[in-house]
Each structure stands twice: as structure tokens, then as C-alpha cells.
Amino acid sequence: MAETQHRHRLDVLGLFDNEYDSEGYRTCSVTGLEIHKSVENHVKLFGLTAVLFMVVGGFFAITVVGTRWEAIGLLSSSDYYIHLSMHAWSMLLFWIVFMEVAILYVGGPMVLGRKLPLTVLAKVGYAVMLVGALTIYYAIWTTSAPDQAPLLTAYVPLPSSPVFYAGALVFVLGVVVAALPFFVSIWQEKRANPGGTLPLVTFGAFITGIIAVEALLGGVVAFSSGLLWRLEIVTSLDAGWYRMWFWIVGHGTQQINLVAMIVVWYFLTHVVGGAEVVSEKVSRTAFILYLLFINMGAAHHLLVDPGISTGWRLWNTSYAFYGATFASLIHAFAIPAGIEAGRRKRGKGGGLFGWLTSAPWKNPMFAAPVIAIILFGFLGGITGVLMGQLQLNMAWHNTFATVGHFHSTVVLGTTITFMAVVYFVIRTMFLREFVSNRLASLQPFLYGGAMGVTALMMMYVGILYGVPRRTPEVVSNIPGTDFSLSAAEPLFVVFGLFAFVAIAGGALFVALAVGSLLFGKRIDPAGNGDLVSDGGSAVASQTMAPRDDLELADDPNDPVHAYEMRGTFVLCLLFLAAFVITYVLNWYLITQLWSIGA
Ligand code: HEM
Ligand SMILES: [Cu+2]
């Protein structure tokens, strides 16, 4: 009783006041899941916090772009690095990681129909993450000589404030604590259901969780040794050693992003798009390949480091890492194939691409993940494999093209996908209508389209002109040299304009999310029928129900894999063609590099 009153007193906006039965459960009309309020409320808390951090990150995107577009030339070089550090930590760590904890709670206890165990730890983890984040903000914002703004990497021997390292350590530990309730819920499920197999979504979330813990432990080593070094308890720290440990977390968190994003792709395309899992075994095998090989990818950040052998670099970034690349290719086939076969089965196919043209494109919870799949694949995935290769890396390394690559992965892929999760949480958990359905339909296209062009321009100026990353001024002036990059100027105009449109698209997302929470009409708990018209609970339960036999979910008299997938096959051929062309082009460009200085 006391607890209920407490909750109501704090909940002035009525954001946490859904109706539950006496046990604290309610049935979701979209997924058919039994949702316990402990899970739902924590998902809301982490999700909402994530959006607020995106506001900060988005603000600093304005100043960063306004500086790199030298026609504007907003910031001085000392301020530039502070703003860039704020942008990177707000977006890549705070926006994304708070969302990821929410996604773990959805993929674990929510899908399993369980309570969130150890809610105290969830709250402590949340508070510790928040303290860590604010400490990092403080450290970055008050940077003064001899300390330098850390950027994302805080590379030793660049001295960053010890407060920064402490904040990073606190944040990482907070994430580990917040993830514990997720693992406990999986453990509880296995004890209650010893012979059962985890649902696909939960299985993927579990793999995400394991990769996360590995990454975060790497972060503990990197940031705590950085801290000891800055406190002068340790007098010298090997730069190469730090880089290796840093990239366990720096790259590892990108792998969490990738796997969490793929889990969401399965979840949303099934719930709102009418997809079905074509083969459970194949999709699960791909997740296991990630578990085994994906960490090796961290080595691709060390491809130009002199301290490690060529063989080590080649092995980790090529041979071993292709195990993970292969897994991505499997998902890249399995997800569209699931959409195609599932929709054909439901009579929404027709022709080669009828399953796509008839899809619910106006629904941002469908459109956003599909836009993400396409843009991530063509722009982020292909370039990642290219630049992860020893020779081609020489042309990409530390150029603006690198920034183009990772904005294609973490923005066009992860961020757009997580925006769809936020929309989903607003409609099905906060039970609010969007303040404008039309703008909500438009937003993923606006943001994805503009950011897609922005990322391409980053790649062009980097690869074609060698424009470096992380510098406020190159086009008009490289101090102490006659070397000129001014030929890149016209491309920077395109870059700048589209980047500002993309930022407007991000602002629209925030306005829709916050506006709908504050002013959106309340949806009747049985409402939301429009979300499931193409798929819905019956199909959704397929990815989410625990089962004893992996193929049980599929109707044996009408198996989904018996439906045609030729549209997906054509799309895959297109992808392959794009891959080959880009690959050959990059090798051609590298041959042109020899003429430097000739
Ligand atoms: C409209 C949205 C965005 C725009 C226009 C934008 C623009 C930029 C630009 C121009 C830079 C490069 C600066 C340089 O190297 O000199 C940058 C860096 C960066 N951005 Fe973004 N960004 C956006 C959203 C995001 C998001 C959503 C994320 C993460 C999820 C992100 C993560 C990063 C990171 C990690 C860096 C690198 C910082 C470093 O070098 O240490 N950005 N951004
Ligand atoms: Cu990486």
C-alpha cells in the first residue's frame, strides 16, 4: 500500500499507471505477452532516460557539424574536442546503452512472462550509470590543460582528467549491475523449465548479454588502468596495451549494438510486419557464431599499430572474424526471407516484391527497422568488411571515411532501430497515441535518408580527398603546409546541409516521443489493433514462446519455409553486386595512392 502511494506521488505525469491484475500482470494486446509491471516500469525508465541523453548528443551534433563544415566554422579547436567528446559519449554510450538495458529486460523477463527479479539491483544499476554519465559530462566540460578532452577513446598517453576515467569506470560497473536482473531471469527460467529451449528473441538477448559482459570487463581493465596512471599510482602505461584493452570495450560495445539490433529486427518484423522465422536452427547458429568470433573484430582498430605482428592482425581481423561476418550474412538473408515467406503465407505476397510493396511502410515500427536493415547492410556492413582488411584499412584509417562508416552502423543501423523500439514502447507500454501519425510515419525516412547522404559524403571526402577525422579545420587551412584539401569543399556543402536535415529528423523523433508521452491520447489497453493487422500476437508468439522442440512453432501442415523467397534472393544478389563493386573500387583506389609524392 505504502509503495503504491509512493509511486503515485512521484508519477505526476501518469506515465507509470497502467492497470494490472492482483498479481501485477497485464496482457499486452499486441504481443499477447503477460507483462509484469516490474519489467514494464523499468523498461520505461531506462528508455525514457536514453531519449533524454539523445537530446544532449543531438545538440552537440549541431556544434560538431557546424565546425566541420568550415564555411560556418563555429568552434575554436580547443572547444571542438570538448564538444566532440560530449557528442560521442552522449550518443554512443548513454543513449545506446540505456536503451540496451531496456532491450535486455524486454528480451528476457518480458518475453518470458516473468517478473523482473532483483529490482533493487536494476535501480542501483540505473543510479550508478546515471552518476557515471554525469561525472563524465562534468569531466569533459571542465577539461583544462594539461588535460585534454578524451574523445571516445581517451588514448594513453593523451592525458585526460582522472575524473573522466573514474566516471567511465562507474558507468561501466553500473551497466554490469543493471544487467544482473536479466541474467537472473534467464537462470530462473532454466530452473523452472529445465528441458525447454529459450525463445529466439530471448536466446539472442542472452548472447547479447554475454558479449556485453566480456566487453564491459575489458572496459574495467582499460579505464581503471587509465585512472591509476592519471593518479600517478602507476607511472607508465604502455600505449599499445591500453589500446588493446580499450578496444575490447570500444569495439565490444559495437557488437552489443549489432546483436541487440538484430534481436530487435527479428522482434519487430515479426510483431508488426507479419514475418515468420524460416529456420530457427539457422538463425540460432548465426547467433552462436557471433558469440565465438565477434570479439576478434576488436583487432581491426589496431591494424596500423606497430607493436603487434602482421600475422596476429591478419588472423583476428580476417580469417577468424569472417566467422562473424558469415553470421551477419545469415541474418541478412533470414530476416528479409522471414518477412517474405511470412507475408506470402498470409496472402500478402504477389509477384517478386509484392510482399514488400504491400508492407506497412506507414508504421514507423516496421519502416524504421527495414530502413535500418538496408542502410546498415549497404553502407555500414560493406564498408566495415572493407576497412577491416589490412591493406584497405591504410586508405580508410583515421580519415573522415571512418566516421562515415561508423555513422552507418551506429546511426543508420542501431539508432534508427532503437528509435523504433521507443515508438513501440510508447504505443504498447505507455499506451499513448502519437501526437501526429503522419510525422511519425515520415520521421524514419527523413532521418535515415538525410543521415544516409551525410554518411556517404563523409566517406567520399575521406576516401577521395584524404580528409582526416577529428579535426576542426582542414579544408581552409592545414598549419605549416602547402598541402590543400580545398577540392573537397563542394562535398562539404552537401555534407553540411544533409547533416542539418538529419539533426532535424532526430529532433523530430525526440519531439514526437516526448510530445506523445505528454500530450498523446491514452490508448485503451485492448487498442493498438492497427499494429498487428499484418502480423500480430499469433505470429509474434512464435519468436517468443518457450518450446520443447525448435520446429514446433511452425505449423507442420503449412511450413513457412515452403513459401517462395525469390524476392529476397534477388535482393541478396543486388547486395553481393554492391559488395563486389565497392571492393574492387577500393582496391583500385589504393593502387592510385602510390602516386603520392611521385
Ligand atoms: C544527425 C545525427 C548525427 C550527426 C550529424 C553526427 C555528426 C558527427 C560528425 C560530423 C562527427 C565527426 C567529427 C570528427 O571526426 O571531426 C561525429 C563523430 C562521432 N559521432 Fe556523430 N553524428 C550524429 C549522430 C550520432 C549518433 C546517433 C551516434 C551514436 C550512436 C554518433 C556517434 C559518434 C561518435 C562515436 C563519434 C566519434 C567521436 C570521436 O572521434 O571520438 N553520432 N558525429
Ligand atoms: Cu570495431
Side-chain angles (χ1 to χ4, degrees), residues 45-93:
L45 178 67
F46 278 89
L48 203 55
T49 310
V51 174
L52 296 180
F53 278 113
M54 173 182 257
V55 177
V56 182
F59 171 79
F60 287 104
I62 301 177
T63 57
V64 166
V65 170
T67 308
R68 290 253 33 181
W69 188 7
E70 288 170 49
I72 300 184
L74 195 62
L75 300 172
S76 68
S77 38
S78 58
D79 285 347
Y80 183 67
Y81 294 104
I82 292 184
H83 285 236
L84 184 53
S85 305
M86 293 293 275
H87 171 68
W89 280 83
S90 303
M91 289 296 204
L92 196 61
L93 275 297

Side-chain angles (χ1 to χ4, degrees), residues 207-509:
I207 302 274
T208 312
I210 298 176
I211 295 174
V213 171
E214 289 173 17
L216 295 171
L217 292 178
V220 170
V221 175
F223 295 130
S224 56
S225 46
L227 179 62
L228 293 176
W229 167 68
R230 283 300 289 135
L231 293 175
E232 292 173 15
I233 296 171
V234 171
T235 45
S236 84
L237 196 57
D238 185 88
W241 185 90
Y242 172 87
R243 286 162 67 85
M244 174 125 41
W245 280 103
F246 172 79
W247 282 112
I248 303 275
V249 64
H251 178 81
T253 42
Q254 304 330 303
Q255 305 313 323
I256 312 171
N257 298 344
L258 175 83
V259 188
M261 168 177 86
I262 290 174
V263 169
V264 173
W265 288 349
Y266 277 104
F267 181 82
L268 283 179
T269 55
H270 285 65
V271 176
V272 301
E276 286 196 36
V277 183
V278 180
S279 166
E280 288 269 353
K281 281 175 190 149
V282 169
S283 292
R284 283 167 197 260
T285 308
F287 279 119
I288 291 176
L289 283 173
Y290 278 152
L291 189 62
L292 298 179
F293 294 113
I294 209 159
N295 284 336
M296 319 256 183
H300 63 208
H301 297 274
L302 309 175
L303 280 173
V304 299
D305 280 30
I308 37 187
S309 75
T310 309
W312 185 90
R313 286 181 264 169
L314 271 180
W315 167 258
N316 281 291
T317 58
S318 298
Y319 300 103
F321 189 64
Y322 291 147
T325 306
F326 181 52
S328 291
L329 292 176
I330 294 177
H331 291 301
F333 178 79
I335 295 174
I339 302 178
E340 176 168 11
R343 291 184 66 80
R344 285 192 194 277
K345 182 171 168 182
R346 225 152 266 105
K348 296 181 191 279
L352 194 55
F353 291 122
W355 52 282
L356 261 188
T357 49
S358 70
W361 292 104
K362 285 193 174 157
N363 178 351
M365 288 149 263
F366 176 81
V370 175
I371 292 172
I373 292 171
I374 297 169
L375 294 180
F376 176 89
F378 278 87
L379 295 182
I382 292 180
T383 56
V385 175
L386 294 184
M387 67 189 292
Q389 204 204 23
L390 193 66
Q391 293 88 337
L392 297 184
N393 185 265
M394 291 190 286
W396 283 74
H397 190 80
N398 274 353
T399 66
F400 215 23
T402 299
V403 185
H405 155 71
F406 69 72
H407 281 75
S408 305
T409 54
V410 297
V411 188
L412 296 173
T414 313
T415 296
I416 294 183
T417 302
F418 288 5
M419 284 173 167
V421 177
V422 172
Y423 286 138
F424 187 76
V425 170
I426 290 174
R427 285 286 302 265
T428 67
M429 296 184 208
F430 286 107
L431 293 167
R432 294 295 196 285
E433 299 222 6
F434 297 132
V435 275
S436 162
N437 279 325
R438 182 181 283 211
L439 288 178
S441 302
L442 176 81
Q443 189 274 335
F445 292 94
L446 177 71
Y447 186 74
M451 197 65 213
V453 177
T454 309
L456 270 177
M457 289 306 128
M458 290 169 165
M459 293 184 205
Y460 283 156
V461 296
I463 283 293
L464 297 182
Y465 299 99
V467 170
R469 68 184 287 200
R470 290 178 160 177
T471 164
E473 207 180 21
V474 283
V475 168
S476 44
N477 173 29
I478 302 178
T481 145
D482 302 334
F483 196 74
S484 169
L485 292 170
S486 58
E489 222 156 336
L491 285 180
F492 265 101
V493 176
V494 186
F495 156 78
L497 289 176
F498 278 90
F500 283 125
V501 176
I503 293 169
L508 179 60
F509 163 76

Side-chain angles (χ1 to χ4, degrees), residues 118-161:
L118 307 175
T119 48
V120 177
L121 282 188
K123 289 197 179 69
V124 171
Y126 175 85
V128 175
M129 284 169 72
L130 203 58
V131 169
L134 297 178
T135 309
I136 290 170
Y137 276 164
Y138 172 81
I140 294 176
W141 200 247
T142 56
T143 299
S144 61
D147 289 336
Q148 306 291 322
L151 299 182
L152 182 74
T153 43
Y155 279 149
V156 170
L158 171 125
S160 292
S161 158

